[in-house]
C-alpha cells in the first residue's frame, strides 16, 4: 500500500463520531494537498475492506458529494444519527462539525 493511501485511511478512521472532514483536508493531512479525488476513489474502493466511516467525509462546501440519491440519503441519515445537522440546502456547519486533526492531541 502506498504511503498516501495508508495515511489517508488512518486519517479517515480517526474522524470522531459527530464530526466530518473534507476530501481535500484528508488529502492534505495525508501528504498530498491536491489529492482530494484520490481520497474519493479510496473511499469508494476501500471503505468496506477497512471499515472506514465514509459517511463522515464531505466536499469543501460542507455538502454531501454523492450524486446517487439513495446513497446521499443514507449518508445524511448516518450523519444525523451522530448529531451532525444538515440544513435544508444540504450543508453542514463547519464551525460546529468540522474535525481538525492538527488541532487535536495525537
Amino acid at each position: 500500500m502506498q504511503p498516501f493511501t495508508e495515511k489517508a485511511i488512518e486519517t479517515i478512521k480517526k474522524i470522531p463520531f459527530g464530526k466530518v472532514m473534507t476530501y481535500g483536508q484528508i488529502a492534505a493531512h495525508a501528504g498530498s494537498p491536491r489529492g482530494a479525488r484520490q481520497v474519493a476513489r479510496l473511499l469508494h474502493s476501500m471503505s468496506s475492506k477497512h471499515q472506514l466511516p465514509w459517511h463522515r467525509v464531505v466536499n469543501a462546501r460542507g455538502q454531501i458529494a454523492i450524486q446517487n440519491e439513495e446513497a446521499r440519503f443514507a449518508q445524511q441519515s448516518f450523519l444525523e444519527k451522530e448529531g451532525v445537522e444538515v440544513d435544508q440546502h444540504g450543508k453542514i456547519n463547519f464551525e460546529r462539525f468540522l474535525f481538525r486533526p492538527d488541532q487535536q492531541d495525537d
Side-chain angles (χ1 to χ4, degrees):
M1 191 178 310
Q2 296 294 320
F4 172 81
T5 302
E6 287 180 25
K7 183 70 173 172
I9 288 171
E10 176 184 314
T11 300
I12 295 164
K13 284 183 174 184
K14 288 183 178 179
I15 305 170
F17 184 93
K19 294 289 184 178
V20 298
M21 284 183 78
T22 68
Y23 295 94
Q25 190 186 12
I26 292 164
H29 197 260
S32 182
R34 299 178 58 119
R37 287 180 191 238
Q38 285 177 269
V39 172
R41 284 191 290 274
L42 185 151
L43 282 169
H44 180 73
S45 64
M46 297 187 165
S47 285
S48 293
K49 179 180 178 181
H50 293 279
Q51 298 179 323
L52 301 176
W54 61 271
H55 61 283
R56 297 180 185 147
V57 182
V58 298
N59 70 22
R61 293 182 302 265
Q63 297 172 311
I64 295 170
I66 297 172
Q67 298 301 312
N68 176 282
E69 191 174 326
E70 188 174 323
R72 178 192 230 37
F73 178 79
Q75 184 173 6
Q76 182 171 338
S77 179
F78 290 146
L79 288 170
E80 288 174 343
K81 286 178 184 173
E82 293 187 8
V84 176
E85 297 170 5
V86 181
D87 73 15
Q88 66 272 20
H89 304 291
K91 291 190 79 169
I92 295 162
N93 181 333
F94 278 162
E95 285 185 32
R96 289 186 62 200
F97 300 108
L98 186 67
F99 177 57
R100 295 173 178 87
D102 295 331
Q103 295 178 3
Q104 305 296 314
D105 296 327
D106 281 327

